[in-house]
Amino acid sequence: MFNKACKTFGKDKINLITIASLRKYMSDFESKFSDEYCDAMFYALKNVFDYAVYEDYLQVSPMTKVKRNINVNQLKKEMSFWEQDQFTTFIQYVDNQEARTIFTFLYYMGVRKGELRALQWKDIDFANNIVKIYKTAPQSAKTIEDLTSPKTTNSNRNITMPDIVIESLKEWKEIQKKIYGFNEDCFVFGFYRPEAPENIRRWLKEGIKKANEDGHELLDIRLHDFRHSHASYLINNMSDKFTDFDIAKRLGDTISTLHNTYAHWFKQADKNIIEFMNTDAKERNKSDDPEKYSELIELKKLLDIGIITQEEFNQKKKQVLGL
């Protein structure tokens, strides 16, 4: 990144590099490279100028007024995810126990890759079935000292585990406990050091390849798309039992971020809700059969004059209403 930027700015004094020249550079860069690569360049430049401010070479970083030109609609269009049946298919082709546990955790917990890699066994509370998220592992993290705070303050959270995750983690812990030196400070994935991202990606690619060679047509997703998959899974199964606030809290996002990121899924979920209410109303109208009410009225008369008991009335009422 630095070598590429130096071809343009290498001979300039840092205090003479302007906002306009940086904006033009990023605009040109975005026209040639992928979003991921452009993000890497943007943050590389930002770090250089932040360091210049820290060392008093500059009073203000010009990068504060340079923004990434992200096409939000295109980003949403390219967002990839798996439905639950696709994940179920995929996991059958993952033989490595650690990899199986990782992908199960990612799909059903919706954590970020760095949050997953930073997990230590002391963060897993089996007594209350929760996982404590309060740190993240940068790409190059190799020790506990390399861990940093999560992406945002909302990222500090406790997430409840479903049974499938609890069982998977307990099985994996039993395997880990057999390794010499095991203790609660050990990393859940990676043991003495956070599991290398390239290993997790390789396991993902291998599982997808095996499944597709066996006749399935799984989408080739990225690790971060497990988070999208989890969000989609929850949004499309929203009911009166949980809301968008609960989903945002679980993902460590604000409701605003959640809606902005997954607006198209919320729109579809809203359509599903309307369809449900329309169908439910029709079904209820069907059940409002006048003959049933007249039969109930006759039963009530029999109860009032003592022909039938209250218990008999209740039983007949259930039969009439189909309860």
Side-chain angles (χ1 to χ4, degrees), residues 293-305:
Y293 286 110
S294 61
E295 192 172 345
L296 285 173
I297 291 170
E298 292 300 318
L299 285 171
K300 184 67 168 63
K301 288 179 181 178
L302 293 175
L303 174 66
D304 291 341
I305 60 178

Side-chain angles (χ1 to χ4, degrees), residues 62-196:
M63 285 297 291
T64 58
K65 295 188 177 182
V66 179
K67 305 298 180 185
R68 281 277 285 110
N69 183 27
I70 299 175
N71 185 332
V72 177
N73 293 328
Q74 184 67 21
L75 184 65
K76 289 175 181 174
K77 183 179 178 182
E78 293 177 354
M79 191 180 289
S80 302
F81 65 97
W82 279 343
E83 299 285 0
Q84 191 173 19
D85 60 337
Q86 293 172 306
F87 172 75
T88 301
T89 297
F90 162 76
I91 206 68
Q92 294 172 356
Y93 291 89
V94 180
D95 301 324
N96 181 313
Q97 183 65 41
E98 181 181 10
R100 286 178 64 87
T101 309
I102 285 174
F103 298 132
T104 299
F105 194 94
L106 287 172
Y107 189 85
Y108 289 103
M109 299 296 280
V111 299
R112 300 176 179 91
K113 177 183 65 180
E115 294 169 343
L116 172 107
R117 294 178 58 239
L119 284 175
Q120 297 167 269
W121 283 111
K122 65 182 181 182
D123 304 325
I124 311 295
D125 181 356
F126 286 116
N128 297 298
N129 294 336
I130 62 172
V131 176
K132 301 170 185 176
I133 305 291
Y134 57 94
K135 56 188 184 296
T136 187
Q139 184 86 0
S140 59
K142 295 181 180 179
T143 66
I144 293 175
E145 289 70 27
D146 293 331
L147 304 182
T148 62
S149 298
K151 186 177 180 181
T152 65
T153 53
N154 288 308
S155 297
N156 290 294
R157 62 203 190 278
N158 291 338
I159 313 177
T160 305
M161 297 182 286
D163 291 343
I164 190 170
V165 172
I166 295 170
E167 293 168 9
S168 183
L169 282 175
K170 283 184 175 179
E171 289 177 9
W172 177 237
K173 189 172 186 179
E174 288 304 310
I175 294 172
Q176 289 276 64
K177 285 165 71 174
K178 296 176 183 178
I179 301 175
Y180 177 78
F182 173 85
N183 60 63
E184 292 296 307
D185 283 329
C186 287
F187 289 101
V188 176
F189 306 112
F191 203 74
Y192 288 123
R193 58 189 291 178
E195 186 59 75

Side-chain angles (χ1 to χ4, degrees), residues 163-270:
D163 291 343
I164 190 170
V165 172
I166 295 170
E167 293 168 9
S168 183
L169 282 175
K170 283 184 175 179
E171 289 177 9
W172 177 237
K173 189 172 186 179
E174 288 304 310
I175 294 172
Q176 289 276 64
K177 285 165 71 174
K178 296 176 183 178
I179 301 175
Y180 177 78
F182 173 85
N183 60 63
E184 292 296 307
D185 283 329
C186 287
F187 289 101
V188 176
F189 306 112
F191 203 74
Y192 288 123
R193 58 189 291 178
E195 186 59 75
E198 55 267 28
N199 286 343
I200 305 176
R201 291 193 196 96
R202 175 168 51 82
W203 294 331
L204 173 61
K205 297 293 183 184
E206 288 173 351
I208 294 173
K209 183 180 179 182
K210 286 180 182 178
N212 289 342
E213 285 177 347
D214 207 19
H216 300 285
E217 296 182 357
L218 291 181
L219 189 64
D220 188 6
I221 67 171
R222 307 163 302 163
L223 284 178
H224 190 70
D225 292 327
F226 277 90
R227 183 169 167 84
H228 297 324
S229 299
H230 183 70
S232 170
Y233 173 57
L234 295 182
I235 291 168
N236 288 300
N237 286 283
M238 278 199 307
S239 66
D240 57 348
K241 293 183 180 179
F242 63 90
T243 66
D244 53 355
F245 173 79
D246 300 310
I247 297 173
K249 189 174 179 182
R250 187 171 180 84
L251 290 172
D253 281 329
T254 62
I255 293 181
S256 174
T257 300
L258 185 74
H259 279 270
N260 288 338
T261 306
Y262 304 107
H264 51 313
W265 287 340
F266 273 104
K267 191 177 291 184
Q268 182 58 45
D270 189 52

Side-chain angles (χ1 to χ4, degrees), residues 274-318:
I274 296 301
E275 287 178 10
F276 160 75
M277 289 193 292
N278 289 340
T279 303
D280 184 61
K282 289 177 182 177
E283 291 299 321
R284 287 181 182 278
N285 288 336
K286 287 180 183 178
S287 66
D288 292 342
D289 188 344
E291 291 184 8
K292 289 184 179 181
Y293 286 110
S294 61
E295 192 172 345
L296 285 173
I297 291 170
E298 292 300 318
L299 285 171
K300 184 67 168 63
K301 288 179 181 178
L302 293 175
L303 174 66
D304 291 341
I305 60 178
I307 302 283
I308 61 174
T309 65
Q310 181 68 53
E311 184 178 354
E312 290 172 327
F313 172 78
N314 291 339
Q315 289 177 347
K316 291 286 186 181
K317 180 181 175 181
K318 288 181 179 179

